[in-house]
């Protein structure tokens, strides 16, 4: 009975019987059985034999060598499987997955001392509209809380005529190199008027309670940052707003992909309280204004790339 020496990776060479083997395919089946458990989870068609390291593999219908030695064994290798694309929605993605998909830093820093302009005053008409809104809605449901966010976004963005708000904007990010896909709807985004298909500037998520994760907002901001970088845009800064209507957090991703998240800012959604109301107004105004200041640098250097690609 003939035996041939075979070797897998850095293991010692061992002998496998060629009895009943007509060709390389038969011998690989014998190797798979003899060298268990190394190949228990590997199909025979994923195995190959070669006579030298890095050399061309023997074909399945080739004749098996007549003899060899422990010094010159046949080398067994396993085909490298192509990693499958892994998809997650923005609402389910972990920070680790978001970081892998977008390149944004895994650890976030506290966004402290946001330099709001305390001389900015909301228009009295807006204050009265807010009061009227408070008087007619019960704020337990997401729909009613969104009315507050709608008010602030509309009031601030209207002051920048070349900006517009997109609601329920579907975004898909595909990182082919990392085999990662993120997709889902962003409650609101802010973009340049007439440039809806370009990566946007601000992502906003409205939630019922603060217990709902702000990772969705972070993931959307990170995706916009990634798409802007892929598009060759000069301005990679992205802002985000996460709000329940009463509790607000603000997100910032800088040019280098560093992530900053603010503390919680609170506002009474049921009654007008000037201090909290003015603070939220100025924070939202700051985010939109900074995006607008950076906007001259947002024209792509290369081709136009959609955030949905």
């Amino acid at each position: 009975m003939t035996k041939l020496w075979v070797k897998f990776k850095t293991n010692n060479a061992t002998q496998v019987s060629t009895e009943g083997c007509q060709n390389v395919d038969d011998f690989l089946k014998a190797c798979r059985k003899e060298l268990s458990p190394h190949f228990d989870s590997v199909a025979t068609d994923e195995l190959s034999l070669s006579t030298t390291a890095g050399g061309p593999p023997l074909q399945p219908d080739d004749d098996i060598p007549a003899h060899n030695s422990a010094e010159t064994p046949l080398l067994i290798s396993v085909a490298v499987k192509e990693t499958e694309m892994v998809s997650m929605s923005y609402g389910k993605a972990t920070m680790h997955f978001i970081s892998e998909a977008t390149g944004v830093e895994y650890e976030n820093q506290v966004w402290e001392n946001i330099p709001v302009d305390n001389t900015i005053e909301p228009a009295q008409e807006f204050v009265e509209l807010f009061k009227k809104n408070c008087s007619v809605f019960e704020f337990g449901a997401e729909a009613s809380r969104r009315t507050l966010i709608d008010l602030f976004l509309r009031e601030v963005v209207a002051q920048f005529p070349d900006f517009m708000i997109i609601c329920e904007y579907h975004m898909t990010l595909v990182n082919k190199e990392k085999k990662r896909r993120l997709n889902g709807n962003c409650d609101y985004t802010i973009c340049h008027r007439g440039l809806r298909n370009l990566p946007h500037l601000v992502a906003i998520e409205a939630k019922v309670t603060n217990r709902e994760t702000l990772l969705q907002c972070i993931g959307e901001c990170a995706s916009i940052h990634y798409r802007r970088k892929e598009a060759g845009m000069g301005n990679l800064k992205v802002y985000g707003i996460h709000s329940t209507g009463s509790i607000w957090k603000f997100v910032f991703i800088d040019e280098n992909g560093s992530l900053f998240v603010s503390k919680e800012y609170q506002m009474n959604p049921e009654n007008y309280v000037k201090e909290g109301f003015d603070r939220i107004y100025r924070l939202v105004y700051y985010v939109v204004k900074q995006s607008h200041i950076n906007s001259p640098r947002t024209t792509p250097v290369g081709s136009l790339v959609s955030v949905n690609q």
Side-chain angles (χ1 to χ4, degrees), residues 168-183:
E168 299 297 336
Y169 187 67
H170 186 79
M171 294 194 298
T172 298
L173 176 144
V174 178
N175 187 327
K176 295 181 180 179
E177 181 181 353
K178 298 293 184 179
K179 303 294 183 182
R180 295 289 183 266
R181 179 190 288 113
L182 281 165
N183 62 86

Side-chain angles (χ1 to χ4, degrees), residues 162-164 190-196 201 291 295-296 298:
D162 49 338
F163 275 2
M164 67 183 301
I190 297 173
C191 68
H192 293 278
R193 188 175 298 277
L195 298 177
R196 189 181 192 277
L201 294 158
S291 298
S295 63
T298 59

Side-chain angles (χ1 to χ4, degrees), residues 146-276:
R146 280 198 182 195
T147 63
L148 296 171
I149 299 167
D150 290 345
L151 284 176
F152 278 90
L153 292 178
R154 182 177 62 190
E155 179 68 16
V156 172
V157 174
Q159 299 176 55
F160 301 88
D162 49 338
F163 275 2
M164 67 183 301
I165 301 167
I166 307 294
C167 296
E168 299 297 336
Y169 187 67
H170 186 79
M171 294 194 298
T172 298
L173 176 144
V174 178
N175 187 327
K176 295 181 180 179
E177 181 181 353
K178 298 293 184 179
K179 303 294 183 182
R180 295 289 183 266
R181 179 190 288 113
L182 281 165
N183 62 86
N185 289 343
C186 183
D187 289 342
Y188 312 83
T189 63
I190 297 173
C191 68
H192 293 278
R193 188 175 298 277
L195 298 177
R196 189 181 192 277
N197 289 329
L198 288 183
H200 295 186
L201 294 158
V202 184
I204 301 103
E205 278 297 324
K207 298 302 177 186
V208 178
T209 70
N210 197 46
R211 290 190 299 272
E212 293 182 73
T213 178
L214 86 155
L215 278 180
Q216 182 170 350
C217 183
I218 291 174
E220 291 159 356
C221 292
S223 291
I224 293 172
H225 172 85
Y226 176 85
R227 295 307 304 163
R228 296 184 72 79
K229 186 175 182 179
E230 288 291 294
M233 293 182 167
N235 169 37
L236 303 181
K237 297 176 181 178
V238 179
Y239 294 86
I241 301 172
H242 178 268
S243 177
T244 68
S246 56
I247 298 175
W248 298 65
K249 281 190 172 185
F250 297 85
V251 175
F252 173 56
I253 298 175
D254 71 9
E255 299 274 1
N256 301 313
S258 297
L259 171 64
F260 299 84
V261 180
S262 77
K263 67 179 183 180
E264 293 181 355
Y265 294 92
Q266 298 195 20
M267 181 189 71
N268 191 326
E270 299 179 341
N271 295 287
Y272 170 69
V273 178
K274 179 174 173 55
E275 182 181 1

Side-chain angles (χ1 to χ4, degrees), residues 9-308:
K9 293 185 175 179
T10 58
N11 298 325
N12 291 328
T14 188
Q15 289 183 302
V16 177
S17 172
T18 62
E19 184 177 2
C21 298
Q22 300 297 316
N23 51 33
V24 167
D25 184 62
D26 291 336
F27 186 61
L28 280 172
K29 291 174 182 175
C31 290
R32 183 176 180 273
K33 182 177 180 180
E34 182 69 24
L35 273 63
S36 177
H38 291 303
F39 306 127
D40 286 354
S41 60
V42 179
T44 304
D45 60 5
E46 296 177 83
L47 299 175
S48 62
L49 279 177
S50 57
T51 56
T52 59
L58 300 175
Q59 295 302 305
D61 58 351
D62 284 349
D63 293 333
I64 56 177
H67 57 81
N68 66 352
S69 67
E71 288 74 28
T72 58
L74 291 170
L75 304 176
I76 302 178
S77 59
V78 179
V80 178
K81 294 182 180 179
E82 184 176 350
T83 304
E84 293 183 0
M85 184 71 69
V86 181
S87 297
M88 293 194 78
S89 68
Y90 290 108
K92 300 294 184 181
T94 63
M95 190 61 223
H96 179 73
F97 189 91
I98 293 169
S99 181
E100 282 188 331
T102 66
V104 167
E105 288 185 2
Y106 177 80
E107 298 288 345
N108 71 75
Q109 304 174 54
V110 179
W111 191 10
E112 297 181 306
N113 303 317
I114 301 176
V116 297
D117 185 351
N118 290 319
T119 66
I120 298 294
E121 291 289 340
Q124 188 58 39
E125 181 183 359
F126 175 52
V127 174
E128 295 304 318
L129 190 59
F130 176 82
K131 290 178 179 179
K132 182 180 292 186
N133 199 77
C134 292
S135 70
V136 297
F137 281 104
E138 190 278 323
F139 291 102
E142 180 177 323
S144 56
R145 288 175 175 268
R146 280 198 182 195
T147 63
L148 296 171
I149 299 167
D150 290 345
L151 284 176
F152 278 90
L153 292 178
R154 182 177 62 190
E155 179 68 16
V156 172
V157 174
Q159 299 176 55
F160 301 88
D162 49 338
F163 275 2
M164 67 183 301
I165 301 167
I166 307 294
C167 296
E168 299 297 336
Y169 187 67
H170 186 79
M171 294 194 298
T172 298
L173 176 144
V174 178
N175 187 327
K176 295 181 180 179
E177 181 181 353
K178 298 293 184 179
K179 303 294 183 182
R180 295 289 183 266
R181 179 190 288 113
L182 281 165
N183 62 86
N185 289 343
C186 183
D187 289 342
Y188 312 83
T189 63
I190 297 173
C191 68
H192 293 278
R193 188 175 298 277
L195 298 177
R196 189 181 192 277
N197 289 329
L198 288 183
H200 295 186
L201 294 158
V202 184
I204 301 103
E205 278 297 324
K207 298 302 177 186
V208 178
T209 70
N210 197 46
R211 290 190 299 272
E212 293 182 73
T213 178
L214 86 155
L215 278 180
Q216 182 170 350
C217 183
I218 291 174
E220 291 159 356
C221 292
S223 291
I224 293 172
H225 172 85
Y226 176 85
R227 295 307 304 163
R228 296 184 72 79
K229 186 175 182 179
E230 288 291 294
M233 293 182 167
N235 169 37
L236 303 181
K237 297 176 181 178
V238 179
Y239 294 86
I241 301 172
H242 178 268
S243 177
T244 68
S246 56
I247 298 175
W248 298 65
K249 281 190 172 185
F250 297 85
V251 175
F252 173 56
I253 298 175
D254 71 9
E255 299 274 1
N256 301 313
S258 297
L259 171 64
F260 299 84
V261 180
S262 77
K263 67 179 183 180
E264 293 181 355
Y265 294 92
Q266 298 195 20
M267 181 189 71
N268 191 326
E270 299 179 341
N271 295 287
Y272 170 69
V273 178
K274 179 174 173 55
E275 182 181 1
F277 179 87
D278 286 357
R279 181 187 301 116
I280 296 303
Y281 177 82
R282 289 164 181 162
L283 285 163
V284 175
Y285 184 89
Y286 172 82
V287 163
V288 177
K289 182 179 179 181
Q290 289 304 306
S291 298
H292 191 266
I293 289 172
N294 295 328
S295 63
R297 299 168 56 210
T298 59
T299 302
V301 174
S303 60
L304 302 186
V305 179
S306 168
V307 74
N308 288 310

